[in-house]
Amino acid sequence: MSFLVAAIRRDLLLAFRRRNDIVNPLAFFLMVGVMFPLGVSPEASVLSALAPGVIWVAALLACLLSVDGIFRTDFDDGSLEQMLVSPQSLHQLVMAKVICHWLISGFCLAMISPLLAMMLFLPGEGVMPLVLSLLLGTPALSMFGAIGAALTVGLRKGGVLIALLVLPLYIPVLIFGSGTVQAGAMGLPIAGYLALLGAILVFSTLLSPFAIVAALKISVRS
Amino acid sequence: MLEVKNLFCERDERVLFGGLGFTVNRGEVLQIEGQNGSGKTTLLRILCGLTEAYEGDIFWQGRPIDEVREAFFHALLYVGHLAGVKAAMTAEENLAWMMRLDPMLNKYSIAEALDKVGLYGYEDVPCYALSAGQQRRVGLARLYLSTAPIWILDEPFTALDKKGVAEKEALIAEHVNSGGVVILTTHHNLQIPGKSIRYMNLDQQASAQ
């Protein structure tokens, strides 16, 4: 079993022991679906026009909500120090943490997003694009979010700072993500949007691990 | 093995130590002393590469430590203030992860290590349900397992009972007698039969400035 797999297993085990990490983003996501029709209008025509943007914004904020925890507990109990002085590749450790964060946030959100689509009257043709765009877009959100989490892990209160740091990086993902769903709902081709989301994902997967490792070192060593 | 030359460190505009130099060779114990806040932990963290706010040179086996960081991490066992034990995981899971993270922790199997630290029968209990001393023992199981030549230990005896302290002392003695190096901070009066312990006092370092 490779080190990457072992590290993912450890993080998933920890996440399942503290169920909050899994439940919080999902509960937030579903609450938006419940509250939005009550607050705006229960009318199907209004909601179906707004649905792509609302679902994507909710998914993005749900990811952002949980991103602070990626390194927090490991920093607090000294596990992160042990990781930094270990001969194992930090790159792999960081990738494992990001993948784990995606599995418990973005992946789960994508899986329950058809439910939100129904609650917000998203046209049936838009559901598949919604799931696909979330599956392609949310891993990039986890990657970018981890950079912010690594930079702020040494600070006592990093929550707001993370949002300021990573929101500019989230905006392109949001634009192309909700664009995919809008195009899909109108029956237009979505391949172009998905290609752009895929490009962002490749870009973030290639570059952000370096940024995360460097940021972690700065946070711990200062 | 480890050589430090002209080390200077200041924290929050206060000089912790300056012009610090020492060499630690095989089979030696270096105990760093000083009052609270004198920079003991900072010095250990600098040696481990966990703090970069310093000036001066550190050599590992004659080469600058920045060049041989990878080899140094292979040879290093660091036990810090924080035990690095996950409260949500059991002792067994914690040990399994430690051994995965540091390949030099390979002297015994997990079951043997649990037995040695006196946690046999507690392997399925999550660590948050253990006492402070027992949690500390999980972290210190590294001492039993490690075959790394250089040990850097920050207050290893905190929260341990008398028997635990004696066991850890014996481990340190065994390690240095087999040619290892131990650098530690402790307020405990460490006794190692047949070896003289070298002391370094950081209070005098600061007042010499």
Side-chain angles (χ1 to χ4, degrees):
Chain A
M1 188 170 61
S2 82
F3 181 67
L4 181 74
V5 178
I8 294 175
R9 276 174 57 116
R10 168 191 182 261
D11 282 351
L12 281 179
L13 178 75
L14 282 169
F16 279 104
R17 293 275 161 84
R18 297 186 314 257
R19 295 203 180 75
N20 276 2
D21 293 2
I22 303 176
V23 174
N24 275 350
L26 291 180
F28 177 85
F29 193 52
L30 281 176
M31 272 193 296
V32 172
V34 174
M35 300 296 173
F36 206 79
L38 296 175
V40 180
S41 151
E43 211 149 316
S45 60
V46 178
L47 284 175
S48 65
L50 294 174
V54 171
I55 299 175
W56 250 96
V57 169
L60 184 146
L61 292 178
C63 277
L64 189 62
L65 198 69
S66 56
V67 91
D68 182 42
I70 297 185
F71 302 110
R72 175 69 56 199
T73 57
D74 279 338
F75 180 79
D76 287 343
D77 65 19
S79 303
L80 196 59
E81 281 179 3
Q82 289 297 333
M83 291 172 190
L84 287 177
V85 298
S86 96
Q88 299 285 4
S89 144
L90 265 180
H91 207 96
Q92 284 192 27
L93 258 169
V94 157
M95 279 303 275
K97 291 205 161 289
V98 174
I99 290 169
C100 175
H101 176 259
W102 177 70
L103 285 174
I104 62 172
S105 64
F107 179 72
C108 294
L109 294 176
M111 291 298 107
I112 63 161
S113 61
L115 186 62
L116 246 79
M118 254 166 59
M119 290 156 88
L120 296 173
F121 297 103
L122 184 75
E125 306 80 60
V127 175
M128 207 54 212
L130 174 67
V131 175
L132 285 176
S133 66
L134 282 173
L135 281 178
L136 271 178
T138 48
L141 297 184
S142 293
M143 291 278 177
F144 292 139
I147 302 177
L151 275 173
T152 54
V153 74
L155 309 173
R156 285 295 110 200
K157 295 220 162 56
V160 184
L161 198 55
I162 289 192
L164 281 176
L165 285 169
V166 303
L167 275 180
L169 295 168
Y170 276 15
I171 287 170
V173 183
L174 173 68
I175 291 171
F176 296 123
S178 61
T180 315
V181 187
Q182 266 158 2
M186 287 188 282
L188 299 173
I190 55 167
Y193 286 103
L194 290 180
L196 278 166
L197 282 176
I200 295 176
L201 176 57
V202 169
F203 171 77
S204 66
T205 312
L206 283 178
L207 295 183
S208 54
F210 293 100
I212 299 167
V213 168
L216 271 184
K217 286 184 175 166
I218 293 170
S219 287
V220 172
R221 286 177 181 174
S222 61
Chain B
M1 261 175 135
L2 192 69
E3 191 181 2
V4 170
K5 274 186 192 159
N6 215 5
L7 200 64
F8 171 87
C9 176
E10 69 172 9
R11 190 131 218 184
D12 304 326
E13 318 231 318
R14 197 166 58 88
V15 177
L16 286 177
F17 41 78
L20 196 66
F22 58 86
T23 311
V24 198
N25 295 314
R26 286 187 169 280
E28 281 187 335
V29 182
L30 177 66
Q31 180 173 349
I32 295 157
E33 297 180 310
Q35 53 196 2
N36 298 135
S38 59
K40 302 188 291 293
T41 295
T42 307
L43 176 58
L44 294 190
R45 289 177 64 91
I46 288 173
L47 295 179
C48 294
L50 284 170
T51 299
E52 287 201 323
Y54 69 90
E55 285 165 37
D57 301 304
I58 305 172
F59 298 93
W60 166 246
Q61 291 179 331
R63 302 189 53 192
I65 201 152
D66 285 332
E67 289 176 16
V68 288
R69 198 54 88 181
E70 199 89 331
F72 178 68
F73 283 154
H74 255 287
L76 170 73
L77 171 75
Y78 170 68
V79 179
H81 257 289
L82 300 161
V85 172
K86 277 278 169 225
M89 295 203 294
T90 67
E92 193 176 359
E93 287 160 353
N94 266 304
L95 282 181
W97 170 249
M98 282 175 201
M99 291 164 85
R100 193 75 216 202
L101 194 60
D102 185 353
M104 294 299 268
L105 299 177
N106 53 10
K107 217 180 206 170
Y108 302 106
S109 70
I110 296 176
E112 284 168 318
L114 279 168
D115 191 30
K116 293 219 176 262
V117 289
L119 286 170
Y120 188 76
Y122 290 92
E123 62 268 27
D124 290 335
V125 182
C127 284
Y128 60 75
L130 298 175
S131 76
Q134 284 175 320
Q135 287 189 28
R136 191 76 197 157
R137 279 165 177 266
V138 177
L140 286 171
R142 294 190 180 100
L143 300 190
Y144 288 98
L145 290 165
S146 180
T147 50
I150 177 161
W151 291 5
I152 297 187
L153 315 173
D154 196 355
E155 299 285 357
F157 303 126
T158 334
L160 289 181
D161 53 22
K162 276 187 184 146
K163 183 165 159 274
V165 172
E167 284 167 7
K168 304 301 172 290
E169 261 185 351
L171 279 174
I172 290 172
E174 190 191 317
H175 181 61
V176 289
N177 284 328
S178 60
V181 168
V182 178
I183 302 175
L184 82 167
T185 64
T186 177
H187 296 288
H188 173 78
N189 192 6
L190 190 67
Q191 300 287 343
I192 293 178
K195 281 269 174 193
S196 63
I197 298 167
R198 286 174 51 201
Y199 294 97
M200 191 172 62
N201 196 318
L202 289 181
D203 298 337
Q204 288 155 11
Q205 287 292 333
S207 58
Q209 284 297 300

